[in-house]
Amino acid sequence: MENRIRELRKQNNITQDELAKAVSVTRQTVISLENGRYNASLQLAHKIAVYFGMAIEDVFIFDEEE
């Protein structure tokens, strides 16, 4: 599953650490999400989407074939 986390962070001048603290995860989790090594749980995806004021589908790109 791809995501737009890095792009959204940079657009909003937010560090990985700031995002991590805002959604109650480690900076390493944010790094792993951005690099596609970790898929967010539904709860985490929701927290990230709410943080950016967006729908989950606007942050996370679901590939039905995966």
Side-chain angles (χ1 to χ4, degrees):
M1 170 174 43
E2 295 180 40
N3 66 68
R4 298 178 53 215
I5 296 171
R6 179 178 287 130
E7 171 190 342
L8 294 168
R9 254 192 340 91
K10 290 185 178 190
Q11 285 176 359
N12 292 286
N13 294 317
I14 298 164
T15 66
Q16 290 172 332
D17 194 49
E18 290 169 331
L19 177 59
K21 287 177 182 172
V23 297
S24 303
V25 296
T26 65
R27 182 173 165 266
Q28 188 60 43
T29 298
V30 172
I31 292 168
S32 293
L33 284 165
E34 289 183 353
N35 291 328
R37 292 190 309 253
Y38 176 73
N39 287 331
S41 66
L42 183 56
Q43 182 179 15
L44 178 55
H46 180 261
K47 284 182 179 182
I48 292 169
V50 168
Y51 180 81
F52 287 113
M54 303 176 82
I56 292 173
E57 296 86 359
D58 295 329
V59 179
F60 295 88
I61 298 96
F62 297 95
D63 183 355
E64 302 217 5
E65 295 185 14
E66 281 187 13

